[in-house]
Amino acid sequence: MTAFALDLASGRPPVARVTGAPGATAGLRAAVDEAVAAHGAVLLRGWRIADEASAEAAVRAVTSQPMAEYEPFAPRTEYRPGLHSSTEWPPDQPMCMHHELSYALRAPGRQVFVCLTAPEHGGAVALADGAAVLRDLPAALVNRFERHGWQLHRTHNGPVGVTWQQAFATEDRAGLELYCKENGISCTWGPGGTLRTSRVRPAVVRHPGSGERVWFNQIAFLNEWTMDPAVREYLLFESGPDGLPFNTLCGDGTSLDRATVDLINEAYEAHTVREPWQDGDVLVVDNLRTAHSRDPYQGERRVAVALADPVTVSRS
């Protein structure tokens, strides 16, 4: 017997009404797992969550194994062990759809967002079903990325972006190089301590639970064509195409044009659902199946984030 009923209104993720303190509901975890397996995510609404401690309790109630973040693209603030702020990103700029750590060999199977303070307007974490996106993308595009994977380039210690010391949480070049070798990342050093890395990862994976093939990557999110045009032109002028803080290519090294990136984002948009935040909301997401983004917003917005239940990523 499930611990809650789901509101399955069109255009929004499944919403479940919960009461009391996080974790106090009998049968809650089984009900959450059932909802996430069926729909890729569930929004729990009604818990009394007023601070980071109760947010941490909510995360523990719906996950099994905490997972640390690594190689971030923007700073975060750690609230408690395994619980940090959402990525620092300009509030007036949308954050494109992506699957967390899809550029890594191990990714969180589950991601949890806890709303401590809802913004005045906007700021929702929007979701899109990676299996549905895969079905909608042109076969030729999917076949290309299934054959070659996708390639991620990063430049650290350039004019913008996190330093390699921040990204890899070390000051030790030798330790960084060993990490890169163990994780299939090529790295080269440039003038002034600049670090450039490159890796190829699968763009389509098979979900370890359902066996379903899903579009799982950050091809569009981290591509130069999704940057603000003025920012992109400035960075190209300052550092050239090889000095962008990040960029994505096809796994065979060929560049992506704007039309390809737009096509991927249009497929995401066709399957996007969202629900405005309310204080205390807890959004539980199957990270392998479901991509997420963040809408622009106005007013204070405090959302705590946790990664959990890591899985090894492999091709479909």
Side-chain angles (χ1 to χ4, degrees):
M1 180 179 296
T2 59
F4 48 65
L6 292 177
D7 181 347
L8 299 176
S10 177
R12 67 195 295 212
V15 178
R17 292 283 176 178
V18 292
T19 58
T25 306
L28 171 81
R29 177 60 192 272
V32 168
D33 290 348
E34 180 183 324
V36 172
H39 305 285
V42 63
L43 178 72
L44 307 177
R45 175 165 286 167
W47 269 338
R48 295 189 300 271
I49 297 177
D51 53 26
E52 290 87 352
S54 51
E56 183 182 32
V59 170
R60 287 200 305 267
V62 297
T63 63
S64 299
Q65 180 183 350
M67 181 180 180
E69 185 189 36
Y70 44 88
E71 295 187 69
F73 280 79
R76 296 184 190 263
T77 300
E78 185 178 64
Y79 292 144
R80 301 174 74 87
L83 186 74
H84 48 74
S85 67
S86 54
T87 300
E88 294 181 15
W89 199 265
D92 62 337
Q93 296 294 319
M95 182 182 291
C96 297
M97 283 290 177
H98 62 287
H99 299 261
E100 204 71 18
L101 292 182
S102 56
Y103 51 83
L105 298 181
R106 283 175 66 76
R110 184 163 288 190
Q111 187 168 15
V112 184
F113 302 85
V114 183
C115 182
L116 299 171
T117 304
E120 295 174 10
H121 178 73
V125 171
L127 305 173
D129 187 324
V133 170
L134 178 65
R135 290 191 295 269
D136 270 9
L137 287 171
L141 184 150
V142 172
N143 291 339
R144 177 186 177 195
F145 282 104
E146 281 201 291
R147 275 199 315 275
H148 302 295
W150 67 289
Q151 192 169 144
L152 171 63
H153 289 185
R154 296 190 67 178
T155 300
H156 299 280
N157 296 58
V160 300
V162 296
T163 66
W164 63 263
Q165 293 92 337
Q166 292 171 317
F168 294 93
T170 184
E171 299 280 342
D172 178 23
R173 287 195 180 197
L176 181 151
E177 291 169 356
L178 177 61
Y179 170 88
C180 288
K181 181 178 180 180
E182 292 174 344
N183 287 273
I185 303 169
S186 66
C187 62
T188 56
W189 297 98
T194 299
L195 173 69
R196 290 176 177 167
T197 64
S198 177
R199 74 198 75 185
V200 176
R201 298 291 188 250
V204 179
V205 303
R206 193 169 293 280
H207 192 283
S210 67
E212 194 171 29
R213 293 167 65 249
V214 297
W215 182 252
F216 178 79
N217 54 70
Q218 291 178 227
I219 292 169
F221 174 40
L222 298 176
N223 189 266
E224 62 179 298
W225 293 113
T226 59
M227 294 180 183
D228 180 276
V231 173
R232 176 179 175 272
E233 291 304 316
Y234 164 76
L235 292 173
L236 287 173
F237 176 79
E238 286 290 318
S239 306
D242 293 333
L244 293 173
F246 50 80
N247 199 11
T248 60
L249 302 86
C250 184
D252 61 4
T254 56
S255 298
L256 304 179
D257 57 21
R258 182 189 291 274
T260 298
V261 175
D262 287 347
L263 188 62
I264 294 171
N265 282 325
E266 288 166 6
Y268 280 128
E269 185 60 32
H271 295 283
T272 293
V273 297
R274 56 173 50 82
E275 172 67 9
W277 282 121
Q278 294 182 17
D279 291 351
D281 282 352
V282 177
L283 179 62
V284 187
V285 179
D286 179 335
N287 181 55
L288 265 73
R289 173 175 169 181
T290 306
H292 69 278
S293 64
R294 192 220 67 193
D295 292 345
Y297 66 92
Q298 298 172 358
E300 182 186 7
R301 178 186 188 270
R302 291 185 67 230
V303 174
V305 183
L307 311 180
D309 305 341
V311 295
T312 299
V313 177
S314 58
R315 293 183 181 272
S316 64

